[in-house]
């Protein structure tokens, strides 16, 4: 077994699925956003507000670089924008099996419409924004991924069963 890395757009279920998958695989769980918040001592939203997105993106790359030195295998949930940097995509591939949890914009909108923690979804027309971002990011998620698992309308159990089929 190797690291299992979950990538995909905000609200696709990377963290919820990742925690359950880590129990199933008996591999510890790690979440790049949580790690960044712990290291920085503040929330992602505050990092965006205080230091800006570019600074946050550098922190993401640093977290992935640090993971390259880890001696244990994890289930790793990544921030939705992390695979947008080519350098990060190359490192993710080296780290283990990369699974893209593919989600439709409408599903994301329903899940996140009252969420205040995602700075990139603030403002007017969040569904339009989500739709545009997914269209733009989709090809890069696909490029980064070893396997694609569609999540719309599926239960956690079904999603995990589909992931397990991919990583066997
Ligand atoms: C982002 C996704 C967020 C978080 C940050 C930026 C993105 O993580 O890293 O708000 O660019 O898609 P989740 O995908 O866990 O929401």
């Amino acid at each position: 077994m190797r690291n299992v890395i979950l990538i995909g757009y905000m609200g696709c279920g990377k963290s919820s699925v990742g925690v359950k998958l880590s129990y199933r695989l008996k591999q510890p769980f790690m979440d790049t956003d949580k790690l960044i918040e712990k290291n920085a001592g503040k929330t992602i939203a505050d990092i965006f507000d205080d230091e800006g997105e570019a600074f946050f993106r550098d922190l993401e790359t640093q977290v992935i670089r640090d993971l390259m030195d880890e001696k244990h295998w994890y289930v790793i949930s990544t921030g939705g924008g992390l695979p947008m940097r080519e350098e990060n995509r190359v490192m993710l591939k080296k780290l283990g099996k990369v699974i893209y949890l593919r989600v439709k914009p409408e599903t994301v909108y329903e899940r996140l419409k009252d969420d205040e923690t995602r700075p990139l979804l603030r403002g007017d027309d969040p569904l339009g924004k989500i739709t545009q971002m997914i269209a733009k990011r989709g090809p890069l998620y696909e490029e980064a991924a070893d396997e694609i698992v569609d999540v719309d309308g599926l239960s956690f159990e079904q999603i995990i069963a589909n992931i397990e089929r991919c990583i066997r």
Side-chain angles (χ1 to χ4, degrees), residues 28-123:
F29 175 70
M30 183 181 288
D31 182 318
T32 60
D33 281 342
K34 290 279 172 298
L35 208 58
I36 287 170
E37 288 185 332
K38 191 170 153 236
N39 292 343
K42 54 168 115 172
T43 64
I44 304 282
D46 283 344
I47 298 173
F48 267 72
D49 287 343
D50 298 346
E51 277 93 15
E53 180 173 351
F55 182 84
F56 171 74
R57 297 300 173 197
D58 288 341
L59 296 181
E60 286 190 311
T61 298
Q62 192 52 51
V63 161
I64 294 299
R65 254 190 227 128
D66 292 345
L67 276 174
M68 302 286 286
D69 298 326
E70 266 291 328
K71 298 286 179 289
H72 295 101
W73 302 138
Y74 290 86
V75 172
I76 303 166
S77 162
T78 56
L82 188 145
M84 297 305 106
R85 262 196 194 174
E86 188 188 359
E87 181 186 1
N88 297 352
R89 290 197 295 278
V90 171
M91 288 193 282
L92 291 181
K93 277 261 157 71
K94 289 186 185 155
L95 277 174
K97 189 91 169 175
V98 183
I99 314 278
Y100 170 26
L101 299 184
R102 187 164 57 189
V103 68
K104 294 201 168 92
E106 295 73 18
T107 307
V108 174
Y109 176 69
E110 276 312 310
R111 288 181 184 173
L112 298 186
K113 59 177 189 260
D114 300 319
D115 185 289
E116 307 271 307
T117 66
R118 266 69 170 206
L120 293 177
L121 299 183
R122 289 172 185 155

Side-chain angles (χ1 to χ4, degrees), residues 4 6 17-25 75 160 163-164:
V4 177
L6 303 178
V17 169
V19 168
K20 291 182 167 60
L21 186 65
S22 89
Y23 280 115
R24 186 78 130 253
L25 300 180
V75 172
I160 286 168
I163 294 175
E164 283 191 304

Side-chain angles (χ1 to χ4, degrees), residues 131-163:
T131 306
Q132 271 186 12
M133 282 179 84
I134 290 182
K136 199 166 149 205
R137 288 179 171 192
L140 293 174
Y141 288 135
E142 287 174 20
E143 189 186 312
D146 295 305
E147 305 285 348
I148 301 175
V149 172
D150 286 302
V151 301
D152 304 277
L154 298 188
S155 66
F156 284 134
E157 287 68 29
Q158 289 169 317
I159 296 167
I160 286 168
N162 290 344
I163 294 175

